[in-house]
């Protein structure tokens, strides 16, 4: 294969030609990218200024196509991205009619975008809504939590939520389906002391349903736990034939973890241990299992000794 050998003068001329060609292409590309172009981008609608006395259902998707005028740079690097990622639409006109025109709000919509972007039109230009009477309902708050305690520590009493109810309003069909409202997940680690935290309610995904308040205070009573052993007498249940039942032993030891602040309070009156005669009558068991019908709240059961007992039926 022949190799073309260039003299030093020819090499300089060739290098100058390539440089000029590169500069020309670069200049053309910069000029082209600085020009204005129209392209299509999708965005999500964020509704504002809801009608006060009406609940509504959008009759179309909350995603629309925007005809955007922008530079070639935007067309090259951000063709499908509008900043911000959503646009706010004013629904104040719905107090008097059942539709909203984008053409009436283009000026305010463009103020939300970057200065180098300009929306020319929106498809669809008209948004239609179906109305119903607005309802109000109170529902309990459900705490969602991920709590990690230090060793020997735990919840020592009822968790308090303030307020423990939220007020929701919206279309009756939607409101009737809601029986409670969850919080965002409360995450805490290595908990050793009682804690008060502000927790936001989970984000509302229904655009036509409002919630108040949007956050609640959560009080976690925390205490150190220690082990305690309580002897509890056994009771016989489902002895409908009134057999004379002899239990061996008559008492069991209930081993539990109790908060230090309640150690002295917890005794056998807080616990009811029973054996069920149906285990013998129905299942023909030779031993009866011990179970607890009553156990103090926020204590933790460790073990029952013995878990099964012997018995004699005297007729």
């Amino acid at each position: 294969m022949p190799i073309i050998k260039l003299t030093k003068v020819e090499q300089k001329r060739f290098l100058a030609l390539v440089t000029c060609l590169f500069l020309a292409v670069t200049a053309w590309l910069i000029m082209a990218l600085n020009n204005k172009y129209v392209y299509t981008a999708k965005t999500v609608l964020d509704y504002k200024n809801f009608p006060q006395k009406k609940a509504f259902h959008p009759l179309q998707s909350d995603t629309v196509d925007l005809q955007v005028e922008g530079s070639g740079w935007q067309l090259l690097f951000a063709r499908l991205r509008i900043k911000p990622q959503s646009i706010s639409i004013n629904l104040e006109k719905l107090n008097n009619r059942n539709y909203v025109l984008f053409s009436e709000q283009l000026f305010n919509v463009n103020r939300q975008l970057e200065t180098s972007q300009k929306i020319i039109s929106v498809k669809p230009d008209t948004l239609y809504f179906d109305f119903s009477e607005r309802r109000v309902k109170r529902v309990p708050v459900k705490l969602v939590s991920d709590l990690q305690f230090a060793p020997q520590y735990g919840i020592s009493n009822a968790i308090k939520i303030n307020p423990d109810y939220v007020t929701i309003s919206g279309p009756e069909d939607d409101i009737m389906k809601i029986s409670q409202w969850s919080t965002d997940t409360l995450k805490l680690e290595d908990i050793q002391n009682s804690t008060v935290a502000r927790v936001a309610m989970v984000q509302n995904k229904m655009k036509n349903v409002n919630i108040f308040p949007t956050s609640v205070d959560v009080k976690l009573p925390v205490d150190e736990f220690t082990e305690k052993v309580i002897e509890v007498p056994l009771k016989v249940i489902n002895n409908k034939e009134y057999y004379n039942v002899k239990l061996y032993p008559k008492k069991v030891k209930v081993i539990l973890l109790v908060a230090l602040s309640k150690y002295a309070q917890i005794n056998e009156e807080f616990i009811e241990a029973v054996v069920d005669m149906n285990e013998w009558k129905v299942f023909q068991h030779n031993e009866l299992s011990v179970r607890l019908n009553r156990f103090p709240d926020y204590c933790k059961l460790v073990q029952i000794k013995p878990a099964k007992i012997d018995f004699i039926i005297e007729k």
Side-chain angles (χ1 to χ4, degrees), residues 4 26 30 33 56 59 83 103 116 122 127 148 168 187 200-201 224 226 247 266 276 281-282 284 286:
I4 300 175
T26 301
I30 292 175
L33 291 177
F56 62 90
L59 297 180
K83 296 182 180 180
S103 55
S116 56
V122 182
L127 300 179
Q148 305 295 328
I168 55 176
K187 292 186 178 181
M201 304 306 297
E224 185 176 0
T226 188
L247 304 177
I266 301 300
D276 191 344
K281 290 185 294 183
V282 178
Q284 303 298 312
N286 293 324

Side-chain angles (χ1 to χ4, degrees), residues 18-35 37 73:
V18 171
T19 302
C20 291
L21 181 62
F22 174 77
L23 293 176
V25 171
T26 301
W28 173 83
L29 182 61
I30 292 175
M31 291 177 60
L33 291 177
N34 284 332
N35 289 335
Y37 299 90
W73 296 102

Side-chain angles (χ1 to χ4, degrees), residues 54 59 93-94 96-100 127-131:
K54 296 180 180 180
L59 297 180
K93 294 288 186 180
L94 293 183
N96 303 315
R97 62 193 190 193
N98 67 343
Y99 63 91
V100 171
L127 300 179
Y128 292 95
F129 297 85
D130 180 30
F131 291 102

Side-chain angles (χ1 to χ4, degrees), residues 19 23 78 89 114 134 139 142 199 210 247 258 292:
T19 302
L23 293 176
I89 299 300
E114 292 182 335
R134 199 167 190 85
V139 295
K142 178 185 178 183
V199 185
N210 294 332
L247 304 177
V258 58
L292 301 182

Side-chain angles (χ1 to χ4, degrees), residues 156-277:
S156 61
N157 214 326
I159 297 175
K160 294 183 179 180
I161 303 174
N162 185 30
D164 55 358
Y165 280 81
V166 292
T167 301
I168 55 176
S169 60
E172 185 173 11
D173 291 344
D174 291 335
I175 294 298
M176 294 304 295
K177 299 175 184 177
I178 303 172
S179 59
Q180 62 184 16
W181 202 281
S182 300
T183 67
D184 285 338
T185 303
L186 174 61
K187 292 186 178 181
L188 297 173
E189 297 180 353
D190 195 33
I191 307 172
Q192 301 182 38
N193 299 294
S194 295
T195 303
V196 177
R198 188 79 174 172
V199 185
M201 304 306 297
V202 72
Q203 187 176 3
N204 181 11
K205 297 181 180 179
M206 295 177 286
K207 293 182 179 295
N208 52 347
V209 173
N210 294 332
I211 174 176
F212 181 84
T214 56
S215 62
V216 294
D217 290 322
V218 177
K219 183 177 181 180
L220 304 174
V222 177
D223 200 349
E224 185 176 0
F225 281 69
T226 188
E227 189 174 280
K228 185 171 185 176
V229 180
I230 301 176
E231 275 199 342
V232 181
L234 287 170
K235 294 183 179 180
V236 178
I237 61 173
N238 290 323
N239 186 17
K240 298 178 182 179
E241 291 79 8
Y242 299 101
Y243 293 129
N244 185 11
V245 183
K246 300 291 186 179
L247 304 177
Y248 299 96
K250 296 180 179 180
K251 292 185 177 182
V252 293
K253 292 181 179 180
V254 177
I255 305 172
L256 50 85
L257 291 176
V258 58
L260 287 177
S261 60
K262 295 185 177 180
Y263 187 89
Q265 302 174 17
I266 301 300
N267 55 41
E268 67 178 50
E269 295 180 0
F270 289 82
I271 303 173
E272 183 180 68
V274 300
V275 290
D276 191 344
M277 289 303 296

Side-chain angles (χ1 to χ4, degrees), residues 85-97:
Q85 297 297 318
S86 62
I87 58 174
S88 297
I89 299 300
N90 190 343
L91 300 183
E92 187 177 2
K93 294 288 186 180
L94 293 183
N95 288 306
N96 303 315
R97 62 193 190 193

Side-chain angles (χ1 to χ4, degrees), residues 95-149:
N95 288 306
N96 303 315
R97 62 193 190 193
N98 67 343
Y99 63 91
V100 171
L101 295 175
F102 273 106
S103 55
E104 297 177 344
Q105 301 192 35
L106 274 184
F107 176 77
N108 289 328
V109 169
N110 276 304
R111 293 176 61 184
Q112 303 172 38
L113 305 182
E114 292 182 335
T115 55
S116 56
Q117 294 176 319
K118 180 182 178 181
I119 297 177
I120 299 175
S121 62
V122 182
K123 293 183 180 180
D125 180 64
T126 306
L127 300 179
Y128 292 95
F129 297 85
D130 180 30
F131 291 102
S132 61
E133 187 176 353
R134 199 167 190 85
R135 299 292 185 184
V136 179
K137 180 181 179 182
R138 294 177 72 222
V139 295
V141 174
K142 178 185 178 183
L143 175 64
V144 179
S145 62
D146 181 9
L147 306 177
Q148 305 295 328
F149 296 91

